[in-house]
Structure formats: structure tokens, C-alpha cells
Amino acid sequence: MKITLNRINDDFLFECSNEQGNSILLDNTTLPNAKGVSPMQSVLMAVAGCSGIDVVSILKKQRQTITDFKAEVEGERVQVDEAKPFKSIKVKFFLEGEIDPKKAKKAAELSFEKYCSVSKTLEPNVEITYEVSVNGEIVE
């Protein structure tokens, strides 16, 4: 796996591209008129994307009908010397459709405990929790 990063203005705007040519923009979001996401925001996006792919894949294999899928991810950061790494991350999944709530909860559990490489990479240092809602109801 390889990405390339190219600076595309005189400040902090970078385009990151993968081997297939797909890209995202990274920027210093503390400055006005930022054109991309911050690197730390991209980490939260990566958690959402990785676990989202897992959950959808697992539920599709179980023939669950997903009509809508959203996730919200919040990260809490802590000052460590000059850096501010994540201390904790909370992921909330919102699913709509003909979905067994227990299967949705189990899919999220499998993602975070077994499959999601992004959360597994962060896991030793970051507490990651999740919540699943199916058709507007939080699954306990």
C-alpha cells in the first residue's frame, strides 16, 4: 500500500492520492478558508469508513436490507508534550431498513473486535467505543 502527498498551494493544502489515483485534500483547518480536512479529522473518517465497510459487508452477507447508513465519529484529544493525540473515539452508527437489531450490534462488535484495521491500529493507545441505532432505536 502506498500513497503520495503533493502540496498544491503556498500554504498547507495537500492532495493525498492512492495507487488508483483517488484522492482527498488535507489542510490546516485552524486557518480560515481551509479547503480540506485536517489530518486528525481524516483519522476519524478512516475509523468510520473502515468500520462502516465491515458492518455493511457483514449485514449484506446475512441478507439484511440496508436502506440508509450513516455514522458519526467523535474524538477526544489530550495534550501529550507538543502533540494532541486521540484519547478516545466514539462511533455512532445509524442504520435504516429491514435489519435485525441484534445482527447490526453483532456486526459492529465484530468490526471493532476483529476486522477493522484502522481501529486495531489505534487500539493500544485509544479507547474506541460504539453505539448502534436501527430504525431510530438504540440497540442495547
Side-chain angles (χ1 to χ4, degrees), residues 44 48 69-74 89-94 129 131:
L44 297 181
F69 182 95
K70 292 184 175 105
E72 291 178 1
V73 184
E74 292 184 46
I89 294 174
K90 174 141 190 192
V91 182
K92 294 181 182 179
F93 294 114
F94 303 92
T129 57
E131 175 181 289

Side-chain angles (χ1 to χ4, degrees), residues 18-140:
N18 66 6
E19 294 164 309
Q20 293 80 26
N22 300 311
S23 64
I24 64 168
L25 296 178
L26 297 178
D27 206 346
N28 181 346
T29 59
T30 63
L31 299 177
N33 302 316
K35 303 282 191 250
V37 298
S38 76
M40 292 301 280
Q41 290 168 335
S42 74
V43 171
L44 297 181
M45 291 176 178
V47 170
C50 183
S51 59
I53 288 169
D54 291 340
V55 170
V56 169
S57 176
I58 291 164
L59 292 175
K60 285 177 76 96
K61 287 176 185 168
Q62 296 175 341
R63 294 183 167 78
Q64 302 296 293
T65 304
I66 304 166
T67 57
D68 194 37
F69 182 95
K70 292 184 175 105
E72 291 178 1
V73 184
E74 292 184 46
E76 181 182 348
R77 296 171 71 181
V78 61
Q79 192 77 41
V80 176
D81 299 321
E82 298 301 314
K84 285 181 70 178
F86 286 114
K87 173 184 173 184
S88 63
I89 294 174
K90 174 141 190 192
V91 182
K92 294 181 182 179
F93 294 114
F94 303 92
L95 294 93
E96 300 282 334
E98 293 179 36
I99 303 162
D100 180 331
K102 289 180 182 160
K103 288 182 178 183
K105 181 81 168 191
K106 183 65 175 177
E109 178 185 315
L110 285 169
S111 175
F112 289 109
E113 292 182 8
K114 189 173 183 179
Y115 297 119
C116 179
S117 299
V118 176
S119 64
K120 287 300 204 185
T121 299
L122 299 171
E123 190 176 79
N125 300 309
V126 182
E127 177 190 12
I128 300 177
T129 57
Y130 60 92
E131 175 181 289
V132 178
S133 293
V134 175
N135 297 321
E137 299 288 325
I138 295 174
V139 182
E140 297 298 332

